[in-house]
Amino acid sequence: MNDIPMISAQGVHKRFGALEVLKSVSLEVAKGEVIAMIGPSGSGKSTFLRCLIHLETVHRGTIQIEGETLVSTDADGHCRYVPDPEIRRICGKMGMVFQHFNLFPHLTVLQNVIEAPMTVKGLRRDEIVPKAEVLLKKVGLFEKRDSYPSRLSGGQKQRVAIARALAMEPDIMLFDEPTS
């Protein structure tokens, strides 16, 4: 049995100017475990998720993804991230569904789902479209594949965002929305 946590965050600190948003946050998530962070608006939940996937940088602490160190703090208190190619590889193990979904408004539902696998993973359109169509069927939106986000309800946009994140075949899914 593999005892390496999928996510290990130890003593994570993040500030915006003088405002310290994360104050020594620690968390371990085992494979197959589902956790929820709850708290009032502005308490740092989204910021913490954004730090895990390196959309925000931490000021102190350690984050490991599947046993690989993304960032650590040295003995002098300096936060050190691994080199950029390693950051991309490690963070590529995670998918994220954003609170406001962040769909590309000029792309159809299908194009939103296939964009990252083609751009980031270098998959050909004929490789990813069948997988994307399966995902759209799973989230009940196959019939909307040629629609633009402006023609979707909020719930439909959320399901497109979920299919888009799953299209990257991540090991870990982060949801910045409790109903996702």
Side-chain angles (χ1 to χ4, degrees):
M1 186 169 133
N2 186 353
D3 290 335
I4 297 173
M6 296 299 282
I7 298 172
S8 176
Q10 304 300 320
V12 174
H13 289 254
K14 171 67 182 170
R15 66 182 176 277
F16 294 103
L19 177 64
E20 192 168 25
V21 178
L22 301 176
K23 303 172 188 172
S24 196
V25 175
S26 295
L27 166 80
E28 283 200 355
V29 182
K31 185 173 185 163
E33 189 174 18
V34 176
I35 67 155
M37 292 186 300
I38 58 172
S41 179
S43 63
K45 301 176 302 292
S46 295
T47 299
F48 182 68
L49 292 178
R50 292 174 62 82
C51 288
L52 291 178
I53 202 159
H54 193 58
L55 294 174
E56 296 285 350
T57 57
V58 302
H59 294 96
R60 193 167 64 235
T62 300
I63 297 174
Q64 293 181 326
I65 305 301
E66 294 183 344
E68 293 189 85
T69 300
L70 176 67
V71 60
S72 61
T73 303
D74 64 22
D76 296 327
H78 296 103
C79 212
R80 305 266 189 234
Y81 278 87
V82 295
D84 285 344
E86 288 297 295
I87 290 172
R88 285 190 295 278
R89 187 183 59 73
I90 292 168
C91 290
K93 297 176 180 190
M94 296 179 282
M96 184 162 171
V97 178
F98 295 90
Q99 197 168 38
H100 299 288
F101 316 130
N102 296 350
L103 298 178
F104 297 112
H106 63 290
L107 299 180
T108 65
V109 165
L110 181 65
Q111 289 168 330
N112 263 282
V113 175
I114 67 173
E115 181 65 25
M118 288 174 55
T119 303
V120 176
K121 288 190 164 186
L123 295 179
R124 295 184 325 269
R125 183 178 174 85
D126 65 325
E127 290 177 290
I128 191 57
V129 167
K131 293 176 184 177
E133 289 174 339
V134 167
L135 290 170
L136 289 172
K137 286 176 186 172
K138 280 186 178 181
V139 299
L141 289 175
F142 181 77
E143 71 284 354
K144 298 285 189 182
R145 68 193 298 273
D146 296 319
S147 297
Y148 288 89
S150 63
R151 309 295 273 171
L152 303 176
S153 70
Q156 290 170 327
K157 289 176 186 175
Q158 182 180 50
R159 288 183 281 151
V160 172
I162 291 168
R164 179 181 61 184
L166 290 172
M168 292 296 288
E169 300 179 329
D171 296 342
I172 300 164
M173 284 291 295
L174 306 173
F175 292 92
D176 193 11
E177 170 57 43
T179 59
S180 294

